Amino acid sequence: MPRTARPHGRAALTALSACVALGCGTGTVPGEQPSPTPGGPTAAGRDVVTWASSADHVGEAADGRGYRLMVHTSVGGSGLRVRLSNAFGDRPVTFGNAHAGLRQDGASLVPGSNGRLTFAGARSVTVPAGGIVYSDPLPGRVPAERTLAVSLYVSRAGGTLTGHRMALQTSYITDGDHTAEEGAAHWKQRTGSWYYLDAVTVRPREETGAVVALGDSLTDGRRSTPDRDRRWPDYLARRLSSVGGTVEGVANAGIAGNKVLRDGPGQSALNRLRRDALSLPGVRTVFLFQGVNDIKAEPGATSAGLIAGYRRLIDRAHAAGKCVVGATIAPFKGWPEWDPAGEAVRRRVNAFIRDSGEFDGVTDFDRVLRSPHDPERMLAAFDGGDHLHPNDKGMRAMADAVDPKTLGCGTG
């Protein structure tokens, strides 16, 4: 059984506007930060994250643009709220209108499901550079395992655009404000990224919590089938829903190319832990599956350096009352940057993850994915084709290896 984290210090979405403001304001500036400032944006105490993505720089912002963003829920509940992020922006962003509804097909929505989102009772909100904001709760119930369409109209923006580049989900862009429209007539331009939206929360049944998967491209889903929700955290969400435990929310905090110790792509796990994991409502456990990009970098991380980074992440998560499950680093022989020296680091780091006792639980992805004939190489049946990223079958095997009992010992 996992030890307790150490305390340090199916109905359609009702198309009605929100009526109760539960918090709206700015968040922390990106980077390694202390706890969010009092009065900053927080979700209600019973809110639980049902979907999330990790923010980064994704290009240049523009005025007068609409985004219809498709995201898949994990846990269901009432009182949907969205979190909009300008974490990497260098100028304020004004959202002139926002709606959320259930996707029917393509960019079209289930009739009657598209509800207007408000912010402290207002249709429009300006988010300062570096800030985040939560919407008011939207009345009605959000189903589990359904695709939501969150439509945003950005009336004023400029400078750096905040978003998530590799969504593996088709969303849509338009000019002008068409957020209230349920049809797809004005939503013709497709995109494979998410913009501004970095979390969706709901109020599920009492005692329900969430896990956040902090990772790199293997968690982000590279080599899984686009538009089919076959990343390993997606499979895990479906599994947790079927077993009916206390953890059903799953947040994907993977960024392709991300490292534990150094920034780029995305801020390092150490620098984004609070924004991308600890600040999300209802999270009980941080599932840490990172390190391969540190190892195969030039120069590559040492085992001592990577282990020290893990310990810092564990300490910060425990200080926030969260459990930490560590996952061993999967084999990647055959990838161009593999070499025997990096393999030796991987083995030493995996030994720490398995045997140190410093994690609240361990999932052995190395054992699940490795070839029995060559333990330095991924099993061919799970290989997505580049010897680093698993295919859909491998993603499912990873999710099946997670013990749900290890995910619920922290506080939400």
Side-chain angles (χ1 to χ4, degrees), residues 25-42:
T26 62
T28 56
V29 174
E32 185 176 329
Q33 297 289 338
S35 299
T37 55
T42 58

Side-chain angles (χ1 to χ4, degrees), residues 186-273:
H186 289 100
W187 299 94
K188 299 298 186 184
Q189 182 181 343
R190 298 187 175 205
T191 179
S193 299
W194 290 306
Y195 305 97
Y196 298 113
L197 179 70
D198 78 340
V200 178
T201 72
V202 296
R203 291 184 179 181
R205 71 177 192 277
E206 294 286 348
E207 305 303 323
T208 301
V211 56
V212 56
L214 189 66
D216 48 40
S217 57
L218 281 78
T219 297
D220 212 7
R222 186 180 294 277
R223 296 286 175 160
S224 67
T225 303
D227 289 318
R228 299 299 296 273
D229 300 304
R230 292 180 177 176
R231 313 162 192 86
W232 75 260
D234 299 321
Y235 282 113
L236 178 63
R238 291 189 279 275
R239 182 160 174 247
L240 294 178
S241 178
S242 69
V243 300
T246 59
V247 173
E248 293 187 29
V250 178
N252 189 326
I255 298 180
N258 199 235
K259 301 180 182 69
V260 173
L261 303 175
R262 298 182 189 173
D263 291 348
Q267 291 180 311
S268 70
L270 286 165
N271 283 339
R272 65 189 182 92
L273 175 67

Side-chain angles (χ1 to χ4, degrees), residues 235-382:
Y235 282 113
L236 178 63
R238 291 189 279 275
R239 182 160 174 247
L240 294 178
S241 178
S242 69
V243 300
T246 59
V247 173
E248 293 187 29
V250 178
N252 189 326
I255 298 180
N258 199 235
K259 301 180 182 69
V260 173
L261 303 175
R262 298 182 189 173
D263 291 348
Q267 291 180 311
S268 70
L270 286 165
N271 283 339
R272 65 189 182 92
L273 175 67
R274 182 161 298 281
R275 182 187 63 247
D276 288 354
L278 303 183
S279 72
L280 295 174
V283 168
R284 295 183 181 178
T285 298
V286 177
F287 191 106
L288 178 61
F289 177 41
Q290 278 193 256
V292 68
N293 289 317
D294 297 78
I295 292 172
K296 65 186 185 65
E298 185 56 49
T302 64
S303 57
L306 195 48
I307 289 168
Y310 287 161
R311 284 175 166 149
R312 291 169 67 191
L313 289 168
I314 293 168
D315 287 345
R316 291 175 194 168
H318 282 164
K322 315 302 179 187
C323 287
V324 185
V325 172
T328 52
I329 301 171
F332 64 103
K333 186 177 182 179
W335 179 265
E337 293 165 301
W338 182 92
D339 60 28
E343 176 64 19
V345 172
R346 186 182 75 90
R347 288 174 179 259
R348 288 193 293 270
V349 169
N350 281 351
F352 167 80
I353 295 169
R354 291 188 186 102
D355 303 329
S356 68
E358 297 192 34
F359 289 94
D360 301 291
V362 173
T363 298
D364 201 340
F365 284 160
D366 173 44
R367 180 189 60 80
V368 170
L369 295 175
R370 72 191 181 201
S371 167
H373 308 294
D374 184 354
E376 298 175 349
R377 190 180 294 272
M378 188 181 298
L379 185 69
F382 293 159

